[in-house]
Amino acid sequence: MPSTRRTLLTTVGAASVALAGCSMPSRFSEPDDPPPSGVAELPDPDGHVAGANGDWSTFGCNAANTREIADGKAPVDGVTERWRVEVTQLSYQEPVVADGHVYYVDHRTLRVFDATDGTELWSLEDVRTPPLLWDGIAYVATVGALHALEADTGNPVWDREFEAPGSVTTPGTYAGRRLVFGIGEQVIALDPADGSIEWRRDVFGQVLDHVAVFKGYWYVIATEAGEVYLLDRDGIGGRRWQLPAAPTAPPSADSDSVYVTCRDGTTYALMDDGLSSPGINWTADTGGVERGIGVVDGLVLVANGGRLHAIDSESGDRRWESAVGDWQQTAPAAGRDTVFVGGDRLWAFDPIPSNSLGRGPAVRFEQEFAGRVGPGPVLDDGTLYVVAHVDDETYALLALE
């Protein structure tokens, strides 16, 4: 987003805090015109602070789990349905999308679809979390193993089994250099080429899914014991935090802080400046979150099953909060100066309209279905992918453009 929008957000901060407690989507403000669709050049993940490559190739979109797409494409004037695939009601994982394929965990079965028309290409059972996609390979966690599969066919490249208590988590990576994940109370790094083990480290508590990468260097490990660790590329610890409650969703990060929401209903901004003790920049009362934290243009976005909270990433001040409907299985996705979130419908917001004066976000569009919207949305190549209750007894994975 242009820097002028960020400057305005800071300027109107006092008004935002005063009105935040009762904020609704602003019907009094017009959204700003979005930037043109697309970008001149996709980012190089090896030099991008979030490790972004333009795809929604993992939980949280990129290595830092910011939930912001880097290809500059998004529907901003409304959506039409490209295709739908019926799914079970008991599926609470959002899809990931890369290289023209959509990967969706439907009640412990990974189903892979053609992003163009929804044709099912292949499937794999005993999967509970969405995979990591990198360089044509799907890295898929099952209970006791990590599998590298050809993304187009599902054919195995290698499999690595583990004899340890606990479940294997979906790995994280920065620019495909190594795969970092957990099993039980261990963190493990593998060589993506052949699955050979590079290092192991013990931690306290079951490692949670979807490691984040901080500043392109540190692997952020969260555990069910409320511990958060920074480990470098060799597995050497650089920082450790003990939070008062267990995290409820994977961590997210920007260039300044790591963001974690815990069971006490608090979102924590954790610092790694080497000076602060205990290294917590701010805390915010946001309620619990299960499906991830967005970090977009100076805002930390948390959907807590009723309201979408926008917290200033530097100060921890609440810029606004907005009712989106009572549904926990959604998280914000961002692209092209627009934030999308589910709930009682699909919402598309301009998060910081220039004429808002603290009333909250401006609505670009909203799309209703028969019932709740989520898991998702996620965003890839200008298309939104989201699960919605589409009629009395039917839930579907939708491609909306």
Side-chain angles (χ1 to χ4, degrees):
M1 296 183 185
S3 59
T4 52
R5 288 165 58 86
R6 174 63 185 152
T7 302
L8 176 72
L9 178 63
T10 303
T11 303
V12 302
S16 299
V17 173
L19 294 172
C22 58
S23 177
M24 294 289 289
S26 180
R27 310 292 182 177
F28 306 101
S29 299
E30 290 294 324
D32 294 344
D33 291 335
S37 179
V39 293
E41 186 177 358
L42 290 174
D44 176 3
D46 201 20
H48 192 277
V49 68
N53 65 355
D55 287 327
W56 198 292
S57 55
T58 185
F59 177 95
C61 182
N62 50 45
N65 291 339
T66 66
R67 305 189 62 82
E68 182 177 23
I69 196 71
D71 66 4
K73 300 177 183 179
V76 295
D77 298 316
V79 289
T80 58
E81 183 178 311
R82 181 196 295 173
W83 52 258
R84 68 170 61 182
V85 173
E86 187 171 342
V87 298
T88 64
Q89 182 180 354
L90 300 176
S91 298
Y92 296 129
Q93 298 288 342
E94 67 185 19
V96 297
V97 189
D99 297 324
H101 295 76
V102 182
Y103 302 79
Y104 181 67
V105 178
D106 190 358
H107 193 47
R108 295 189 176 273
T109 296
L110 175 63
R111 302 173 67 188
V112 183
F113 305 99
D114 188 308
T116 302
D117 57 15
T119 301
E120 188 159 352
L121 303 174
W122 56 271
S123 63
L124 181 69
E125 296 183 351
D126 192 31
V127 179
R128 62 180 186 84
T129 59
L132 164 71
L133 277 297
W134 194 265
D135 198 21
I137 303 297
Y139 297 98
V140 183
T142 56
V143 173
L146 186 66
H147 309 270
L149 309 175
E150 293 180 355
D152 289 340
T153 64
N155 292 333
V157 177
W158 53 257
D159 300 286
R160 169 66 67 175
E161 295 186 355
F162 300 91
E163 295 182 0
S167 296
V168 175
T169 70
T170 299
T173 191
Y174 183 78
R177 295 175 187 169
R178 61 188 52 80
L179 306 173
V180 178
F181 61 99
I183 178 168
E185 297 189 356
Q186 283 190 334
V187 181
I188 299 174
L190 300 185
D191 184 330
D194 58 11
S196 58
I197 295 177
E198 294 187 356
W199 48 260
R200 294 176 183 253
R201 296 292 180 268
D202 292 329
V203 293
F204 180 58
Q206 166 72 47
V207 177
L208 300 179
D209 276 293
H210 310 299
V211 169
V213 178
F214 181 41
K215 297 183 178 180
Y217 183 79
W218 298 106
Y219 294 93
V220 185
I221 312 298
T223 78
E224 291 182 353
E227 301 261 317
V228 179
Y229 300 81
L230 298 186
L231 302 180
D232 73 5
R233 61 187 180 184
D234 298 315
I236 298 172
R239 193 76 164 176
R240 175 184 174 187
W241 294 268
Q242 173 64 65
L243 299 179
T248 56
S252 297
D254 58 16
S255 59
D256 298 312
S257 298
V258 172
Y259 305 98
V260 182
T261 301
C262 293
R263 294 190 187 280
D264 60 0
T266 302
T267 297
Y268 297 84
L270 309 179
M271 299 288 287
D272 180 44
D273 57 9
L275 300 173
S276 304
S277 181
I280 297 177
N281 184 25
W282 51 257
T283 64
D285 181 9
T286 57
V289 56
E290 295 185 11
R291 296 298 156 212
I293 302 168
V295 185
V296 180
D297 193 45
L299 295 178
V300 178
L301 299 168
V302 177
N304 70 354
R307 307 186 74 81
L308 177 64
H309 298 257
I311 309 298
D312 187 283
S313 64
E314 294 180 4
S315 66
D317 293 335
R318 191 183 314 275
R319 293 304 177 187
W320 49 261
E321 61 180 87
S322 181
V324 293
D326 184 17
W327 183 230
Q328 193 77 23
Q329 310 301 330
T330 187
R336 204 178 166 197
D337 283 5
T338 304
V339 171
F340 304 90
V341 71
D344 60 4
R345 66 199 69 188
L346 175 65
W347 294 94
F349 296 127
D350 179 348
I352 47 174
S354 58
N355 62 346
S356 173
L357 298 178
R359 294 193 184 98
V363 177
R364 291 203 189 278
F365 69 85
E366 54 193 280
Q367 179 71 49
E368 292 190 65
F369 298 89
R372 294 164 170 169
V373 176
V378 305
L379 181 62
D380 189 85
D381 197 26
T383 300
L384 290 165
Y385 300 90
V386 68
V387 176
H389 185 188
V390 292
D391 63 35
D392 287 346
E393 297 183 357
T394 304
Y395 293 77
L397 172 63
L398 304 172
L400 306 172
E401 57 186 3

